Amino acid sequence: MRNVLLQLHVGTPVHCRSWSNVPVAHGLQLTIYTEAMGGVPARIARHLYAMLCRQLMSVGGIEGRAPCEVDNGQIFEAVTCAGAVAGLTNRVLVYIADGTGQMDKSFESYFGRGQARVVPVVDDSLGMAVPQALPTWMDTSIAVTTTGGNPAPVLAKVIRSAGLLSQTPSVFVSYVHDDARDVAGQFFHVLSERGYAVFLDRFSGVPGDDFVDLISEELANKACLLALETPNYGASPWCQQEVATAITREMGMIAVDLPGTKRSFPEFAHRYNAEHALLNNSKLSQVDVSNACDAFERWFPHQISRRPRHLDRSLRSALDAAGVNYVNVGLGRVRAQFNGTPRLLAMSSESPDIDDFRQVDELRANAGEGATLFGSVAATRSGRRTRIDWLEDKSGIEVEDEGQLARFLGLP
């Protein structure tokens, strides 16, 4: 099972916990570090640690004791983990500045100069320019600035840097062309620059594409719907269909209320209010777009956890209805008994890709154990379908559309 070792260092080691069943590509050591033992930097570190614990739980993570605590009855400095904990091939350091610009030399050697991905954090309460607050070897251009000790702006960047999402974070931009064409383009560029895979119909299609099929496939392979709500949004048949699909699939759903919004769909739990923003040549100011994208990033991790939990409930409910005995092996993963023969069943939030196949293969008790992977297969077009067929053939893992789960289990 893939693992995360989550550590908190506030002057000294405070917490270290091992997490399993987390969708990361490789074993990960994630360390939140500050030299300060109190004050704002320490508060940020502790709050960020708690937020990451909640995030790991939301994606099905299972918390356990750290290996050093199991073996030695205590936790040690993060720098002792290399070679001592199997499988930790990736390192991410969140460095929270304390105003000295210093870092323990052993930590600098372990995490610094290309040894790890580093997320520097500087709070405005320090009253210092970012370069002066950080060790000289850190890249100040990627630093996250916080205000009043609020760690929320840091969370999304840490999640992306750590690869805590099994796939590139993805978003489908839903909008009315005549109302928000230019604003949609602004969101496309800003979110793309922040590392999201963004679908915007104007930029994402190719000549000859069947537009209906393209929209259907992209909705099936995006984690979150970002709705740009304008006066005509609720009346658009296209937008109605996109929202209906997001509701049915329990995708993440976030809205930005632009001038004239009617808030047509109450299903959006998170909304950024930009209805009083000023449009200049049909565009928002850079500040308004940046603030809206900051809000989107804060809400994104929670929103995209809805669908995996939905699929997990659907799988277990169907098995209970069919009277099939099973054992839980992870979020959306069970080992079921069919006529006395175990078979691994797994749900994929999107169209199955190589990472889904790899995870299922790792969970199989042996290479010969049967396995079936359910996902958004029916919406896939030729290129993606060809890749799925190839992976199915090479792995011996069967693939079914998630809509066929009941039929697979023999339910009416």
Side-chain angles (χ1 to χ4, degrees):
M1 187 67 68
R2 299 168 185 185
N3 292 309
V4 171
L5 199 62
L6 179 60
Q7 302 165 314
L8 175 63
H9 181 105
V10 182
T12 60
V14 176
H15 296 295
C16 184
R17 302 293 286 174
S18 177
W19 290 81
S20 60
N21 196 44
V22 178
V24 291
H26 304 283
L28 170 70
Q29 180 181 4
L30 175 53
T31 304
I32 303 168
Y33 175 99
T34 184
E35 289 279 4
M37 300 189 73
V40 173
R43 187 166 73 247
I44 293 174
R46 292 179 183 279
H47 287 180
L48 182 59
Y49 178 84
M51 293 167 74
L52 284 166
C53 286
R54 291 194 293 271
Q55 174 61 26
L56 291 168
M57 283 188 282
S58 76
V59 296
I62 300 171
E63 185 179 5
R65 299 168 68 198
C68 56
E69 186 179 15
V70 173
D71 294 338
N72 301 286
Q74 62 178 311
I75 60 174
F76 298 102
E77 299 277 7
V79 297
T80 67
C81 292
V85 181
L88 295 183
T89 57
N90 286 344
R91 299 175 194 167
V92 173
L93 171 71
V94 182
Y95 174 86
I96 301 171
D98 65 345
T100 65
Q102 301 299 313
M103 185 176 190
D104 183 287
K105 291 298 181 183
S106 61
F107 278 82
E108 180 178 334
S109 175
Y110 186 71
F111 288 107
R113 296 178 174 84
Q115 300 298 314
R117 283 164 288 177
V118 179
V119 179
V121 180
V122 179
D123 192 74
D124 64 357
S125 64
L126 296 179
M128 303 174 66
V130 169
Q132 283 68 55
L134 299 175
T136 56
W137 58 270
M138 286 189 185
D139 183 354
T140 59
S141 67
I142 62 172
V144 180
T145 55
T146 56
T147 301
N150 176 19
V154 187
L155 182 62
K157 191 160 190 175
V158 172
I159 288 171
R160 291 203 306 276
S161 298
L164 290 177
L165 302 173
S166 60
Q167 299 170 332
T168 301
S170 57
V171 54
F172 184 106
V173 180
S174 174
Y175 69 107
V176 176
H177 285 237
D178 291 343
D179 289 354
R181 174 185 173 89
D182 292 335
V183 173
Q186 290 180 284
F187 278 92
F188 174 86
H189 291 299
V190 172
L191 290 175
S192 296
E193 289 171 358
R194 296 190 184 194
Y196 290 83
V198 185
F199 176 81
L200 185 66
D201 52 7
R202 288 164 44 211
F203 299 144
S204 306
V206 297
D209 259 333
D210 183 300
F211 192 69
V212 175
D213 288 346
L214 173 66
I215 295 298
S216 176
E217 183 179 47
E218 291 300 331
L219 275 169
N221 286 283
K222 293 294 179 286
C224 185
L225 183 82
L226 173 60
L228 304 181
E229 285 242 33
T230 50
N232 299 304
Y233 185 82
S236 165
W238 288 102
C239 297
Q240 291 173 8
Q241 182 60 43
E242 290 158 5
V243 172
T245 300
I247 294 170
T248 301
R249 299 185 74 244
E250 293 214 17
M251 294 170 59
M253 296 176 64
I254 298 171
V256 175
D257 292 328
L258 295 171
T261 180
K262 296 179 180 177
R263 296 184 177 87
S264 307
F265 300 98
E267 289 82 2
F268 287 92
H270 292 294
R271 291 179 172 274
Y272 179 80
N273 186 354
E275 60 182 319
H276 299 300
L278 297 177
L279 295 174
N280 184 13
N281 293 325
S282 302
K283 292 185 177 181
L284 292 172
S285 70
Q286 291 183 347
V287 171
D288 284 330
V289 175
S290 180
N291 288 341
C293 288
D294 288 346
F296 173 86
E297 291 200 275
R298 289 196 300 272
W299 298 326
F300 183 83
H302 171 73
Q303 279 294 299
I304 66 169
S305 67
R306 296 175 61 238
R307 178 158 167 77
R309 291 197 295 263
H310 163 69
L311 292 173
D312 182 72
R313 292 192 300 269
S314 297
L315 175 61
R316 299 175 201 280
S317 296
L319 288 164
D320 290 339
V324 176
N325 294 324
Y326 62 90
V327 175
N328 302 331
V329 294
L331 188 72
R333 276 101 172 100
V334 302
R335 180 165 284 110
Q337 293 289 330
F338 293 93
N339 299 320
T341 302
R343 186 173 193 84
L344 191 67
L345 305 181
M347 307 294 286
S348 170
S349 295
E350 301 174 4
S351 298
D353 68 1
I354 190 169
D355 196 54
D356 295 303
F357 281 90
R358 186 185 296 118
Q359 288 185 40
V360 171
D361 189 57
E362 290 176 356
L363 286 171
R364 287 198 282 189
N366 55 69
E369 182 182 36
T372 303
L373 180 59
F374 296 88
S376 300
V377 179
T380 58
R381 298 185 297 168
S382 58
R384 190 176 260 119
R385 180 71 228 200
T386 298
R387 291 193 295 273
I388 292 173
D389 290 343
W390 185 88
L391 289 166
E392 185 177 19
D393 180 63
K394 294 298 181 182
S395 66
I397 297 170
E398 295 180 3
V399 175
E400 294 277 357
D401 186 77
E402 62 187 74
Q404 298 299 312
L405 176 60
R407 180 198 59 79
F408 180 87
L409 295 175
L411 293 170

